[in-house]
Amino acid sequence: NIDSLLSDNGDTGGVFAYNSITWQMRDKACDQLRKLVDVCDNVTGFMMTHSIGGGTGSGLCSYMLMRMSVDYKKKTNVCYSIYPSNILSTSIVEPYNALLAMYSLSYSSNITLAFDNEAIYNICQRNLHIAKPDVNNINRLIAKVISSVTAPFRFDGELHTNLNELQASLIPFPSLQFITTGMSPIVPKMDVTTTLNDVQTITNECLNPTN
């Protein structure tokens, strides 16, 4: 829904410390979230995709996450968090933003699927043979992971039917909510017909640190 989109800009948007964008937008964002919840028949939880290296992805999203955990206590919060890399960093304050964002993730998120920005970049180069991956290439891989996680909710099956079941099966204790993310197969289009796709190969690749 185009009416649900919020946007703004500012010269301090790259800093966590509840920057000017956060102060201006946080109430609008919370109000927009409340409106979306009101029109839902049965809300089981929330899913947030954010980069904790940026000011808005860390500062504003941390505030939103804490508000959701208070306002909707019985709902599951799932975060797809992209962690910054010291090699591919575009801002000197990215480690600062990520460190502060970890607090809200530790206490307000029920499931956090961690993505390493450098690792995704390397996967694009190694597996997809893309010399210089751009944002679209990286976001496409992240979108595929999100699609795979949510597939049992969107289609009939016996694995998981909602976010609560996903949390129950993946998180044995609340403090162990950080999940290492792996995906397989990751192959370029030209190799699709020649790549082995048996269960054993896919399982091994998923558990391989390089994936």
Side-chain angles (χ1 to χ4, degrees):
N1 188 347
I2 192 68
D3 296 330
S4 301
L5 297 178
L6 298 174
S7 63
D8 203 329
N9 53 47
D11 55 357
T12 58
V15 181
F16 174 93
Y18 293 142
N19 51 58
S20 59
I21 295 179
T22 301
W23 290 110
Q24 295 170 12
M25 298 298 295
R26 63 177 192 171
D27 293 333
K28 291 181 181 179
C30 290
D31 186 56
Q32 191 66 262
L33 179 64
R34 179 189 57 78
K35 292 178 181 179
L36 292 172
V37 171
D38 288 343
V39 298
C40 291
D41 295 330
N42 182 22
V43 178
T44 59
F46 303 95
M47 304 182 77
M48 176 183 291
T49 305
H50 62 141
S51 173
I52 62 174
T56 304
S58 58
L60 178 59
C61 289
S62 292
Y63 176 82
M64 291 293 299
L65 194 57
M66 287 188 287
R67 280 290 301 268
M68 287 188 293
S69 64
V70 173
D71 296 343
Y72 310 98
K73 294 181 180 180
K74 296 183 179 180
K75 307 303 180 183
T76 301
N77 291 326
V78 180
C79 291
Y80 300 91
S81 304
I82 296 93
Y83 285 74
S85 164
N86 61 335
I87 296 177
L88 302 175
S89 177
T90 58
S91 172
I92 195 172
V93 296
E94 283 188 358
Y96 160 84
N97 293 335
L99 183 63
L100 293 177
M102 283 295 293
Y103 177 83
S104 61
L105 287 174
S106 299
Y107 289 95
S108 302
S109 170
N110 300 109
I111 305 174
T112 301
L113 284 87
F115 295 86
D116 183 275
N117 204 27
E118 182 181 348
I120 301 175
Y121 191 91
N122 291 338
I123 287 173
C124 288
Q125 289 183 319
R126 184 181 62 253
N127 296 48
L128 301 179
H129 310 308
I130 302 173
K132 294 183 178 180
D134 57 18
V135 175
N136 291 328
N137 302 130
I138 293 175
N139 285 346
R140 187 173 291 112
L141 282 180
I142 296 172
K144 285 182 177 294
V145 173
I146 298 175
S147 176
S148 299
V149 172
T150 59
F153 315 148
R154 295 180 285 112
F155 304 102
D156 293 335
E158 299 179 358
L159 187 59
H160 306 110
T161 58
N162 55 51
L163 293 178
N164 294 328
E165 291 188 7
L166 180 66
Q167 178 185 354
S169 62
L170 292 180
I171 312 299
F173 304 101
S175 59
L176 298 179
Q177 78 269 36
F178 291 90
I179 306 297
T180 300
T181 307
M183 184 170 65
S184 175
I186 305 176
V187 294
K189 292 181 179 179
M190 67 283 292
D191 297 339
V192 169
T193 56
T194 59
T195 303
L196 292 176
N197 286 327
D198 59 282
V199 175
Q200 187 63 51
T201 301
I202 291 176
T203 303
N204 291 341
E205 288 183 354
C206 278
L207 298 177
N208 191 325
T210 60
N211 282 24

